[in-house]
């Protein structure tokens, strides 16, 4: 009986898991603009940063986004910026992109969730190495945030590691 119950519980966990995949539809003109990074699983590079904002400009000629990221470091009010590029994926998976801060190195940048009106985006990684919850506004409805957390956890992300970017109004 214990074995049957264990197998059933294991099957339920597998069945409840959402695939870690990108969104099916992605429009560069709607994605362009300013995004506020509200919550993230910090990387070595951005650990402790706050009030992070990314301005995405589509470069038609190059086929990528020029991104200017602004942020504040711990204990400082000085605004720092860094430029990068986000390359759009192939036609089959247009939201499976690559981010490049330093040539020639590129990092997977997957848009795994996107508001129908492009009001929010969730950026992940195929190996769950990073997670960013971004919005067009400095805040997000708590109910929406909690539902995003549930879906990210079901995809296999360690949502307990998310930290706030502390955007003040």
């Amino acid at each position: 009986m214990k074995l049957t119950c264990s197998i059933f519980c294991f099957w339920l966990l597998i069945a409840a898991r959402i695939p870690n995949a990108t969104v099916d539809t992605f429009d560069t003109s709607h994605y362009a603009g300013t995004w506020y990074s509200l919550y993230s699983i910090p990387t070595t590079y951005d650990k402790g940063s706050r009030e992070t904002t990314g301005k995405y400009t589509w470069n038609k000629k190059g086929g990528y986004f020029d991104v200017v990221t602004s942020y504040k470091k711990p204990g400082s009010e000085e605004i720092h910026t860094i430029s990068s590029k986000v390359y759009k994926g192939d036609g089959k998976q247009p939201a499976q992109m690559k981010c490049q801060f330093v040539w020639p190195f590129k990092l997977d940048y997957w848009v795994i969730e996107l508001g129908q009106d492009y009001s929010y985006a969730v950026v992940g990684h195929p190996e769950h190495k990073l997670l960013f919850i971004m919005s067009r506004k400095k805040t997000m409805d708590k109910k929406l945030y909690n539902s995003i957390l549930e879906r990210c956890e079901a995809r296999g992300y360690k949502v307990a590691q998310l930290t706030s970017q502390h955007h003040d109004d």
Side-chain angles (χ1 to χ4, degrees), residues 27-54:
D27 182 331
T28 55
S29 64
H30 284 94
Y31 198 77
T34 300
W35 288 101
Y36 294 93
S37 180
L38 302 181
Y39 300 92
S40 65
I41 294 177
T43 63
T44 304
Y45 169 76
D46 60 3
K47 193 171 190 173
S49 65
R50 66 186 202 287
E51 299 180 48
T52 302
T53 304

Side-chain angles (χ1 to χ4, degrees), residues 1 10 15 18 21 24 28 37 46 48-49 60 64 67 73 76 78-79 86 118 125 131 146 151 153 155 157 165 169:
M1 181 66 175
F10 179 73
I18 299 172
D24 294 327
T28 55
S37 180
D46 60 3
S49 65
K60 289 181 187 178
Y64 55 82
V67 183
K73 292 182 177 181
S76 172
E78 182 182 353
I79 297 174
V86 175
Y118 286 69
H125 186 273
L131 183 67
N146 287 332
R151 290 187 296 275
E153 189 169 38
R155 286 182 177 101
Y157 288 92
Q165 284 287 312
D169 279 330

